[in-house]
Amino acid sequence: MILILKRLRNISLESYCLLFVSIFTGLAINASDATLAPDYIRNIIQILCYLLTIVLLFRTINTVSRPKYFVQTIVPLVIFWLMGIVNVYSGSPQWAPLFLLEIFAFALTPDNMKKDAFNLYVWFLTLMSVAGLLVVLSFLFFHILPYTIVPFYGDNLNNNVYLNFYIAYLYVDSMDGMRLCGLFNEPGYFGTMLALAIVSESFNIKKPRVVIMLAAGFFTFSVAFFVTLVAFLIFRNCNRPLYLFVFVIALYFFFEVLPTLHFEDRMLDILVQRISFENGSLAGDNRDYIDTTILMNDFNNSSDIVFGRGFGATKGLGVSFKMIIVQLGYVGVLLTYGLLFLAGWKYSKNNWIAISFLLCFVINVYQRTNIFNMNYFLILFGGLLYIQDSKNRTKTSNLYDE
């Protein structure tokens, strides 16, 4: 315990500011349509984010050295912010002053501080996983933790609800059964964060926090969680033919054979049905609808393909990446998402684990398109820096062993 406290004291104020802004950004109670807390809670969180971001900005703006890829990082973020002002389909321009402060504060933060903040964020996910597993055990077996029933965010249907245990939330409906959300607004969001954190540890199950996050991720019943981990295992071993062959066989069983089986356990049965294929796509993929396909086809035959129809043009039509293309256009997507991923590629530094992590992140953007916020900035760049640091520490350790 004393050693842990010493390590925490050695972490910079900048890292803590970055950490808490990232945590606050992702919490369900900070969502604009949250049902889990009153509006004044969200207002308090917004004020805290402003204060922490201003502190971070003033602490980093006068630093002598800039992060190595500062320009590559800041350019797509500023372009995205500018497009929110000049490229709006309806309504007023989205000036987003907090976002502007955040992108400069983040880009100016030294890389070692981003890495430390990411490591702390993974510990936060681990603690959230422990709380979530306690909630699941209580709900399924012991019935000792109190909870309230709250309408699912953005949905007032009686069969879509949160079970609010305060330390974690369960999402319950008549179709998907019970799914763990952690403190996020969706089980898929929690599953995505956990999967990327596990990937950043190279799926090393010798680490206790990886095992804990893996257990919590299972109870999210998130397709993204399982697909991300399977994709990483393929990427990591693609240069080993025997391993790749085994994974191909495993994938066939996972996606084709397993979903045809039926289990007495309802939650396990729900999971295997979500990973089955229907009409050429995953049954658990709820990001694409017939309306989005029709809109996309119309868009591709219009004059809007360069810079899109503007933010808000696809309101109410889902959040698949197709809808981002409709809003920003193909050039707009390249100048924002494309350049952001290029910056991530720079940070990968030819480290195959880092590149695999980046590819897993990109895969998730299909169904988690809202990556232009502090939470995802920390996951992407902090994760890549953490992987690089882990590689360097391994090399140093090997030198000492020799």
Side-chain angles (χ1 to χ4, degrees):
M1 178 63 70
I2 295 176
L3 181 59
I4 293 174
L5 291 175
K6 285 183 177 179
R7 288 179 177 176
L8 292 176
R9 282 201 300 265
N10 290 331
I11 294 173
S12 67
L13 176 62
E14 291 88 337
S15 294
Y16 283 116
C17 289
L18 184 55
L19 168 69
F20 283 107
V21 174
S22 300
I23 288 174
F24 291 150
T25 300
L27 293 179
I29 57 176
N30 190 39
S32 59
D33 51 358
T35 57
L36 290 157
D39 289 340
Y40 75 85
I41 295 295
R42 183 170 181 268
N43 293 333
I44 291 173
I45 291 175
Q46 290 296 301
I47 292 170
L48 289 173
C49 285
Y50 265 108
L51 294 175
L52 290 168
T53 303
I54 290 171
V55 171
L56 179 61
L57 186 59
F58 274 98
R59 294 274 298 189
T60 57
I61 200 167
N62 293 320
T63 53
V64 176
S65 60
R66 293 283 176 262
K68 187 172 182 180
Y69 299 111
F70 169 76
V71 174
Q72 289 91 333
T73 303
I74 195 69
V75 167
L77 305 184
V78 171
I79 291 175
F80 187 85
W81 179 77
L82 289 172
M83 291 192 76
I85 298 173
V86 302
N87 191 20
V88 180
Y89 178 76
S90 62
S92 58
Q94 302 175 25
W95 292 98
L98 176 58
F99 179 69
L100 182 62
L101 292 174
E102 286 179 345
I103 61 180
F104 275 97
F106 180 83
L108 287 167
T109 302
D111 289 342
N112 65 310
M113 296 178 185
K114 291 189 182 86
K115 180 261 299 180
D116 288 341
F118 173 81
N119 186 36
L120 291 173
Y121 189 81
V122 175
W123 280 115
F124 167 70
L125 290 175
T126 305
L127 291 174
M128 195 191 300
S129 297
V130 172
L133 290 171
L134 290 175
V135 162
V136 169
L137 289 174
S138 176
F139 178 73
L140 294 178
F141 304 109
F142 305 115
H143 310 291
I144 57 176
L145 296 178
Y147 63 87
T148 59
I149 300 176
V150 181
F152 185 55
Y153 88 103
D155 192 343
N156 292 319
L157 298 178
N158 292 327
N159 61 340
N160 296 325
V161 298
Y162 289 115
L163 302 185
N164 182 5
F165 286 82
Y166 300 100
I167 59 172
Y169 319 127
L170 297 180
Y171 166 68
V172 180
D173 79 351
S174 58
M175 297 294 294
D176 290 339
M178 180 277 295
R179 300 175 63 192
L180 178 61
C181 298
L183 291 174
F184 297 132
N185 60 4
E186 292 180 354
Y189 189 10
F190 191 27
T192 299
M193 294 291 107
L194 290 174
L196 291 172
I198 292 170
V199 168
S200 74
E201 296 283 13
S202 195
F203 210 149
N204 184 0
I205 58 174
K206 293 180 180 179
K207 291 190 173 185
R209 70 180 187 177
V210 171
V211 176
I212 292 170
M213 290 188 292
L214 196 59
F218 175 85
F219 286 105
T220 66
F221 298 104
S222 164
V223 172
F225 176 79
F226 293 98
V227 169
T228 299
L229 295 183
V230 170
F232 172 71
L233 292 174
I234 293 175
F235 294 146
R236 189 179 67 179
N237 297 286
C238 66
N239 60 337
R240 304 158 85 175
L242 180 59
Y243 277 66
L244 188 59
F245 175 75
V246 172
F247 278 128
V248 169
I249 298 299
L251 279 178
Y252 177 79
F253 176 81
F254 194 71
F255 289 112
E256 293 292 339
V257 178
L258 190 61
T260 64
L261 306 177
H262 292 281
F263 301 86
E264 293 184 4
D265 186 278
R266 173 168 168 73
M267 289 191 298
L268 187 58
D269 200 48
I270 288 170
L271 173 62
V272 296
Q273 295 309 311
R274 283 178 59 80
I275 62 175
S276 64
F277 275 90
E278 294 180 359
N279 300 321
S281 62
L282 283 170
D285 174 19
N286 58 359
R287 301 296 179 180
D288 214 358
Y289 310 95
I290 185 64
D291 290 342
T292 66
T293 301
I294 294 172
L295 177 61
M296 189 67 187
N297 291 335
D298 177 68
F299 170 78
N300 285 328
N301 293 314
S302 71
S303 59
D304 302 319
I305 59 173
V306 179
F307 287 108
R309 296 175 178 175
F311 285 101
T314 62
K315 187 175 181 180
L317 291 175
V319 291
S320 74
F321 200 72
K322 290 179 181 179
M323 299 301 94
I324 293 296
I325 295 174
V326 171
Q327 293 180 81
L328 302 183
Y330 289 102
V331 173
V333 166
L334 287 176
L335 291 175
T336 51
Y337 288 82
L339 290 181
L340 189 72
F341 297 149
L342 180 60
W345 180 267
K346 290 285 187 179
Y347 274 99
S348 300
K349 296 181 180 176
N350 299 319
N351 179 331
W352 184 244
I353 297 298
I355 292 172
S356 299
F357 174 87
L358 176 62
L359 292 174
C360 289
F361 186 94
V362 172
I363 288 172
N364 276 283
V365 172
Y366 168 74
Q367 49 96 43
R368 295 281 164 201
T369 58
N370 185 26
I371 62 170
F372 282 83
N373 61 62
M374 194 73 96
N375 199 21
Y376 275 103
F377 298 161
L378 181 61
I379 289 291
L380 175 57
F381 295 106
L384 291 170
L385 290 163
Y386 178 80
I387 292 169
Q388 294 292 353
D389 183 70
S390 299
K391 178 183 177 183
N392 293 336
R393 281 189 280 111
T394 301
K395 285 183 177 179
T396 302
S397 176
N398 291 337
L399 286 175
Y400 281 120
D401 291 340
E402 293 174 0

